[in-house]
Amino acid sequence: RVVGVSDTKVGIIFTISGLVTMALSVPMAMFADRKGKKLLMIMGLLMSSAAMAGMAFTQSYLWLIGFVAVFAVGMAMFEPASLGLISSNVPARRLSTVMGIYGGVFENSGLIAGSALAGFAWSNWGPQSTFLIGTVAGGLGMLICLLFVKELKARSA
């Protein structure tokens, strides 16, 4: 128990996160189409990283819920924008393969490795350092996105 919450309250946190992500994924995808996928990827990583930094220092259940909701908004911004960016830069005949590689290899590997590293950090250095390491990882993601991600401009019909 990090902030002294019961198992039920942890379940409530996961529920709120899932509901926020579900409710905002489609509107954020539409927003990414209008404002730019790279911009939304960066904004999503920024919000998620800021939320993780907040989670590292919170001592209140309500603040934890707030930071989890902000994290979920960031993920709802990042995920559809990143998938949209891939689909707009890959020829249609290769799209299934590229999406499979992105999701099956990179996303799943990241989830597995991230969970393992977070468990190691949590066990050895405590919860605060785990969230701060996540904050640094999000910052590196933003830097990579700024330096290496190119968004093709749509051609006018």
Side-chain angles (χ1 to χ4, degrees):
R1 293 187 178 193
V2 178
V3 291
V5 298
S6 67
D7 296 342
T8 302
K9 288 184 176 180
V10 171
I12 291 169
I13 289 172
F14 280 107
T15 301
I16 290 169
S17 175
L19 289 172
V20 169
T21 303
M22 180 184 68
L24 293 179
S25 289
V26 172
M28 289 298 174
M30 294 166 55
F31 190 59
D33 286 338
R34 274 182 257 146
K35 296 297 180 183
K37 294 167 189 73
K38 180 177 177 177
L39 174 65
L40 246 70
M41 288 172 66
I42 293 167
M43 287 174 48
L45 287 168
L46 178 64
M47 286 186 75
S48 297
S49 296
M52 281 191 278
M55 284 184 236
F57 297 104
T58 189
Q59 296 295 314
S60 158
Y61 181 66
L62 288 176
W63 276 103
L64 182 60
I65 287 175
F67 287 125
V68 166
V70 171
F71 180 83
V73 170
M75 293 313 298
M77 294 171 87
F78 177 82
E79 290 171 350
S82 65
L83 292 172
L85 186 66
I86 289 172
S87 67
S88 65
N89 287 325
V90 173
R93 69 185 191 298
R94 300 274 187 239
L95 192 54
S96 298
T97 303
V98 171
M99 287 294 185
I101 292 169
Y102 175 79
V105 176
F106 295 112
E107 271 190 0
N108 291 343
S109 297
L111 285 171
I112 293 166
S115 297
L117 292 172
F120 175 80
W122 191 291
S123 296
N124 290 298
W125 304 309
Q128 189 175 40
S129 65
T130 304
F131 288 111
L132 293 175
I133 291 168
T135 302
V136 170
L140 289 173
M142 282 187 290
L143 184 63
I144 289 168
C145 193
L146 282 167
L147 296 175
F148 298 110
V149 172
K150 303 274 189 274
E151 186 171 2
L152 300 176
K153 299 296 177 191
R155 293 183 207 144
S156 300

